[in-house]
Amino acid sequence: MGHLNKRLLLLPGLALLIYPLLPGASDYVLHVMTLALIYMVLAMGLNIVPGFCGLLDLGYVGFYGIGAYTAGLLTIHYGLSFWLIVPLAALNGALWGALLGAPTLRLTGDYFAIVTFGFSELVVLFLTNEIWLTRGPLGLPGIQPVTLDLSWLRPDWYFEFYDKAPNFYLAALLVALVFFVMGRMEDSRLGRAWYAIREDPLAAACCGVNILHYKVIAFSISAAIGAMGGCFYARWSMFLSPDMFKFWESFLVLCMVVLGGLGNIKGALVGATVLVCLGEVLREVLAAAGLPPETRFMAYGLIMVLIMRFRPAGLFPAIAASGRANPLLVVLGRRIAAGEFSGEKDDARGTSA
Amino acid sequence: MAPLLELQNIRKRFGGLVALADVSFAVRPGEILGLIGPNGAGKTTLFNCITGIHAPSGGTILYFGQGRSMRTNGFKPEKMTALGIARTFQNIRLFNSLTVLDNVRIARHCRTCSNFLGAVLRTRSQRAEEKENVEAAMHWLAFVGLARHALADSGSLAYGDQRRLEIARALATEPRLLLLDEPAAGMNPRETRKLVDLIHAILASGVTVVLIEHDMKLVMSICQRLVVLDHGTHIAEGPPAEIRENPRVIEAYLGRGAVHA
């Protein structure tokens, strides 16, 4: 099953990675693919909070917006390089994650969800009204595209990412980076602490996990990843406006996570792909049917209902073991299969008593 | 001999309900102390106060596990775990969708220290710690006899095995004092016998045990001393033989007919 899954994902993945290099590659398809990659970053980042820690986060787009505007403003006013802006935007996202999380993560369940929802609305209001900084509803045009300056290696190695293909590969790189970090976190002391909080906060505390501390860490890392996604988005779209960061974006990303399977990193990738493609299809279909584009949200709602009814754990339910492929666990699995523990004393106890 | 844990006039109120009223007793190092009493007597509330889940409304909890006396009122549960007090729960609280091994590995949290950077970069020290962590977890799983189920989902274990996994998880925090809340509840006689052996093995490893239990046969056979609570008050304390004859206990707990049973 695991191998089959891997192969199923690997082949189309490779095909898609080669696609931009083909001579007849369509700009539109590349655009959609890049968009899907951005949502993959967001879905993976959001996954940490509801998927790993079990907290409903309805305001993820707030961090996306913070990252995007951080990147946009730093580019316009200071002309900083993208490669410097990514860590700065991530840090800014993490900072706001911690500032929001530290006082509010004491809340549980619905109350926390409401706070995050309020936060993302606050971000939009800020972006709309603080005109001195963000130009408000006029938006932030003229953001330079990503550049890669390697002229210190060879004088003519200076690249501007105007084309679709380089941006696509940059987004793919970002996805790969986040995927790698997520995989490492999942199979670590940090990830296990998060799972413990999701499964049973009280038992987690009695196992020595400082719940608030680890929730804030989760929230900050999640925010940092969202901000990184926003950062790329700003330099890719070259224009930002507050209405790009409305609540619906949070909901869409949450749908992706739930569709893919809460707590499953690969599921988030699939969820993002499916919903972005669906969005594009609906755009055509709804226009043809003469319906306003907003009706697509009804389709998302319908999908959520169907998922709840038929696959409540998502398309790819999270598997119990974090990092089953970890060499430590592989070795342990072999030892168990070899019968090292089969003659356990508990059996002896049972029969002698 | 100095006690390991001393409770002085512990009180706990929930609104108008007095759950604990001036409960005082001491736990001696190396002993197995039974905490008994009818339902609603405040036994679990007392465990919750000791482990920091509830802050007592009054009184003092003194813990001597760190080589000096320490007032631990209002300490957080994770702090109490770090100080060496571990517990199990009356209604099993495992991390059900995780593996048996991960349940125990999580309990190593306060005995390990790798952080975000260690996890992402998978540094040499982080890898060493993970390896050691798996070995420690397997040690405790073998101790309770669950090693061969290490990679199974904990939710799929048999009931008695789940109870023992909870004990392994508590032991993996390397406690000085282990609080067991009705460990034999719902077990069949064979599982209970295995549990008795396990508790003796825990004592032999140098861990002090406090046990809440309704199975009187079990309590009377393994506890050196008993403390009896009724309606949140401490009504008797002493060796099982004495408690068995104590008229107040019989009245409150066993019922009048029990004397002749």
Side-chain angles (χ1 to χ4, degrees):
Chain A
M1 175 66 192
H3 285 286
L4 189 69
N5 241 338
K6 226 176 242 172
R7 230 170 267 169
L8 274 177
L9 286 174
L10 204 65
L11 279 177
L14 274 178
L16 287 175
L17 272 182
I18 302 168
Y19 179 79
L21 299 176
L22 300 178
S26 118
D27 271 4
Y28 168 71
V29 174
L30 266 180
H31 179 92
V32 174
M33 278 164 61
T34 310
L35 197 64
L37 289 174
I38 294 175
Y39 277 106
M40 283 182 188
V41 171
L42 296 182
M44 281 192 286
L46 176 62
N47 205 353
I48 297 174
V49 178
F52 290 178
C53 291
L55 296 158
L56 185 55
D57 180 352
L58 293 177
Y60 195 56
V61 72
F63 301 115
Y64 180 47
I66 285 173
Y69 268 83
T70 306
L73 292 170
L74 286 178
T75 310
I76 289 173
H77 295 306
Y78 300 99
L80 290 187
S81 150
F82 174 74
W83 313 101
L84 191 61
I85 286 178
V86 169
L88 286 178
L91 279 177
N92 197 24
L95 172 74
W96 285 99
L99 284 179
L100 174 66
T104 61
L105 280 163
R106 290 162 212 278
L107 302 172
T108 51
D110 311 340
Y111 301 103
F112 177 72
I114 292 166
V115 167
T116 55
F117 172 67
F119 171 75
S120 76
E121 290 300 295
L122 218 60
V123 170
V124 173
L125 282 178
F126 179 88
L127 297 178
T128 315
N129 292 310
E130 299 301 313
I131 295 171
W132 60 274
L133 183 67
T134 64
R135 288 178 26 105
L138 292 174
L140 213 57
I143 302 168
Q144 289 299 302
V146 177
T147 57
L148 181 60
D149 186 358
L150 294 176
S151 54
W152 48 275
L153 273 177
R154 261 182 67 176
D156 56 338
W157 278 10
Y158 180 82
F159 307 100
E160 277 198 333
F161 287 25
Y162 272 115
D163 276 345
K164 299 280 180 197
N167 275 310
F168 170 80
Y169 285 116
L170 185 58
L173 191 70
L174 197 59
V175 169
L177 175 76
V178 174
F179 185 78
F180 172 79
V181 170
M182 295 288 294
R184 284 285 168 95
M185 286 194 299
E186 184 189 43
D187 178 22
S188 73
R189 178 172 177 265
L190 183 64
R192 285 192 294 272
W194 288 339
Y195 294 145
I197 293 171
R198 178 189 70 198
E199 296 292 313
D200 189 333
L202 185 61
C206 286
C207 283
V209 178
N210 184 330
I211 294 180
L212 183 63
H213 185 79
Y214 276 86
K215 279 183 180 173
V216 173
I217 291 178
F219 206 57
S220 299
I221 294 176
S222 165
I225 293 174
M228 277 166 68
C231 183
F232 173 82
Y233 181 75
R235 299 290 291 253
W236 176 59
S237 75
M238 298 190 266
F239 173 74
L240 294 176
S241 89
D243 58 2
M244 292 169 171
F245 306 103
K246 286 269 167 75
F247 167 70
W248 285 111
E249 294 290 318
S250 291
F251 178 70
L252 184 61
V253 178
L254 189 63
C255 284
M256 292 168 180
V257 174
V258 174
L259 180 72
L262 277 170
N264 187 327
I265 304 174
K266 282 179 191 140
L269 301 184
V270 176
T273 312
V274 170
L275 284 191
V276 168
C277 294
L278 182 79
E280 294 304 313
V281 171
L282 283 177
R283 190 205 303 277
E284 298 296 319
V285 172
L286 294 176
L291 291 165
E294 281 74 24
T295 2
R296 69 179 186 278
F297 292 119
M298 288 173 66
Y300 296 145
L302 183 66
I303 288 183
M304 295 313 285
V305 171
L306 291 176
I307 282 283
M308 275 187 283
R309 171 64 185 83
F310 295 106
R311 295 295 295 262
L315 296 177
F316 301 94
I319 37 170
S322 55
R324 271 184 205 269
N326 188 311
L328 283 172
L329 297 197
V330 173
V331 170
L332 184 63
R334 268 194 222 121
R335 280 167 65 192
I336 293 170
E340 188 174 322
F341 306 103
S342 56
E344 275 188 316
K345 53 185 175 183
D346 85 303
D347 288 336
R349 268 185 205 163
T351 46
S352 71
Chain B
M1 197 171 176
L4 180 60
L5 183 79
E6 192 175 344
L7 307 176
Q8 299 172 347
N9 305 318
I10 298 299
R11 256 165 300 160
K12 179 68 195 173
R13 310 164 65 107
F14 295 104
L17 177 82
V18 180
L20 293 170
D22 290 319
V23 174
S24 305
F25 65 88
V27 182
R28 299 168 193 155
E31 76 171 338
I32 170 159
L33 177 73
L35 187 58
I36 61 172
N39 284 328
K43 305 179 297 290
T44 297
T45 306
L46 192 63
F47 269 18
N48 287 344
C49 287
I50 296 171
T51 53
I53 292 169
H54 297 323
S57 318
T60 300
I61 303 171
L62 289 175
Y63 178 60
F64 298 84
Q66 299 287 308
R68 65 199 166 85
S69 100
M70 202 178 217
R71 190 173 184 272
T72 63
N73 289 44
F75 278 24
K76 289 263 165 75
E78 62 268 17
K79 173 99 192 205
M80 295 316 298
T81 307
L83 288 174
I85 297 186
R87 72 171 291 174
T88 64
F89 296 89
Q90 188 177 351
N91 44 342
I92 304 175
R93 303 188 80 126
L94 290 172
F95 306 121
N96 272 326
S97 72
L98 304 183
T99 60
V100 170
L101 178 74
D102 280 351
N103 267 273
V104 184
R105 278 207 284 180
I106 287 165
R108 304 281 306 154
H109 188 87
C110 54
R111 308 293 170 221
T112 48
C113 61
S114 77
N115 55 16
F116 172 71
L117 278 182
V120 172
L121 303 176
R122 211 160 266 185
T123 54
R124 186 187 294 265
S125 65
Q126 194 263 359
R127 275 178 290 148
E129 190 183 273
E130 287 286 286
K131 188 158 187 279
E132 199 190 297
N133 207 349
V134 170
E135 275 159 21
M138 288 309 291
H139 166 76
W140 291 113
L141 283 176
F143 187 80
V144 302
L146 288 174
R148 75 211 127 102
H149 299 303
L151 296 181
D153 289 359
S154 59
S156 70
L157 290 183
Y159 186 80
D161 287 348
Q162 292 196 10
R163 286 238 175 251
R164 283 188 297 153
L165 175 55
E166 238 199 349
I167 294 174
R169 189 176 70 178
L171 288 171
T173 66
E174 295 174 14
R176 302 266 336 254
L177 175 63
L178 177 64
L179 309 178
L180 298 174
D181 198 344
E182 295 196 30
M187 281 189 172
N188 62 36
R190 180 173 168 270
E191 285 171 333
T192 307
R193 275 199 301 276
K194 284 201 290 188
L195 178 73
V196 170
D197 289 348
L198 180 59
I199 293 174
H200 281 305
I202 292 167
L203 278 177
S205 74
V207 176
T208 307
V209 176
V210 178
L211 178 77
I212 294 178
E213 189 49 67
H214 282 301
D215 182 341
M216 279 304 127
K217 224 176 90 191
L218 175 76
V219 170
M220 296 290 172
S221 68
I222 65 173
C223 293
Q224 289 147 9
R225 286 193 311 135
L226 296 177
V227 168
V228 189
L229 295 184
D230 185 30
H231 292 297
T233 50
H234 171 285
I235 59 166
E237 182 174 344
E242 237 172 69
I243 294 296
R244 210 195 300 259
E245 305 301 326
N246 185 316
R248 273 193 78 186
V249 176
I250 295 169
E251 172 129 15
Y253 187 75
L254 298 174
R256 286 190 176 274
V259 184
H260 312 289

